Amino acid sequence: MAATVGCMRYLLVGATTPLRRSTSLPSSSSFSSWTWKPNPISFPIQNHAFRSPEKFFTPLAAASPFDLSPPPIDLDLLDLWLGSLQDTVTEAGAEVSEAGIIETFDNDDEALDAVDNGVVVVDLSHFGRIRVSGDDRIQFLHNQSTANFECLQEGQGCDTVFVTPTARTIDVAHAWIMKNAVTLVVSPVTCGSIIEMLTKYIFFADKVEIQDITKKTSFFVLVGPKSHQVMEDLNLGALVGKPYGTHQHFMVNGMPITVGVGNAISEDGFSFMMSPAIAGSVWKALLSQGAIPMGSNAWEKLRIFQGRPAPGKELTNEFNVLEAGLWNSISLNKGCYKGQETISRLITYDGVKQRLWGISLSGPAEPGSPITADGKKVGKLTSYACGRTESEHFGLGYIKRQAASNGNTVIVGDNIAGTVVEVPFLAWQSPPSKSSGP
């Protein structure tokens, strides 16, 4: 636990914008008993020294109840974000949309290079965050999505897919199992519809409550081979090497933050969910350890390069969950759930007729363009991104299983040559065995 406390030496980087209303800790979860000794060192992270950590951080007593979802604030995200993080990023040259999304730091190529050779930090606070609470929450989510929630314990996590009754894809959600709730991170375009869908399936006797906590939290991710070193330098090394979805709770400036293993792009890297009141402080702390800021424009390119399917593009009513290759999110041994019958038939009768691939292109191509091989249409391009050089073009697309595979050549649109390639996110997926867990 000493290492846990030590991490605050770096995260406590100064006072944030004062809250306009009084705040108090919610009462619904707990830390185990531990002791803490103040460290009298000051921390010159923001060009001036700060008081020692005990002035900012009060450890929770063993009997103090504590739940990280949602954090103890009742202001809209925008109110706090404008005073906390936006000032920081605009000073760094960020372009921010009217919706408050950081689009670019005018360093997209540098940030993409850092994904391969360093570490980037990305603000994904516009992604949806849903809190599912109540005594029946685990069984409810177990029945409404593809992962095995009943085998998970507090402090663990997983990916799960929300599908239609015929196993057509809606979205992939990242789930954290907390003491009194499950927190789901979903795409910004599906958050509302998923909440509506889940609410629809709550029956009268179900003890389940659904809350949208997107505006009550901020959310960052770390990506890149040096993300482990950043965690070590912040004394968060206890999470390095832990299974995907593992998460722990901390306090920064008296406000809650959850740090988890993995992110929306890969099983490597880390995720941070926190009160918006401390978002600016945490952001600066990560930058101080060498993380390069990345905007949403570069993030979308990274998503395509990595092969992570997205709602409205690769995840639609046209494609089922197995065609999308989301094997790591599917359990075959948990019994009935929405879409289970279709998934079982597809596996039993080898009914998956197409699959998602990466495609290295000779030029720009429009999503929706047909993919042909030997003069026959065999698929469709679903996403496109230009690379860091004029000659680098890449896309994602569904291709019939018997028509092409890794290394084969296809034509996209009228005359754009493409080479079918594996992409990291899909390469990590593996068909589950009948004895597997989530």
Side-chain angles (χ1 to χ4, degrees), residues 6-27:
C7 74
M8 296 299 105
R9 293 185 301 172
Y10 296 92
L11 291 178
L12 301 175
V13 291
T16 58
T17 301
L19 294 175
R20 300 176 189 173
R21 304 177 193 172
S22 62
T23 62
S24 59
L25 288 175
S27 54

Side-chain angles (χ1 to χ4, degrees), residues 107-120 225 294 388:
N107 69 338
D108 291 358
D109 289 348
E110 178 189 7
L112 290 170
D113 284 337
V115 170
D116 296 329
N117 305 303
V119 58
V120 300
M294 172 183 278
R388 283 161 276 182

Side-chain angles (χ1 to χ4, degrees), residues 8-17 42-51 56 83-85 87-89 91 252-253 277-289:
M8 296 299 105
R9 293 185 301 172
Y10 296 92
L11 291 178
L12 301 175
V13 291
T16 58
T17 301
S42 297
F43 306 102
I45 293 181
Q46 296 181 13
N47 298 323
H48 57 283
F50 295 99
R51 292 171 292 170
F56 298 95
S84 176
L85 183 59
D87 291 344
T88 300
V89 299
E91 288 172 4
V252 175
N253 294 347
I278 57 169
S281 294
V282 175
W283 182 267
K284 288 182 178 180
L286 294 171
L287 294 185
S288 76
Q289 298 302 316

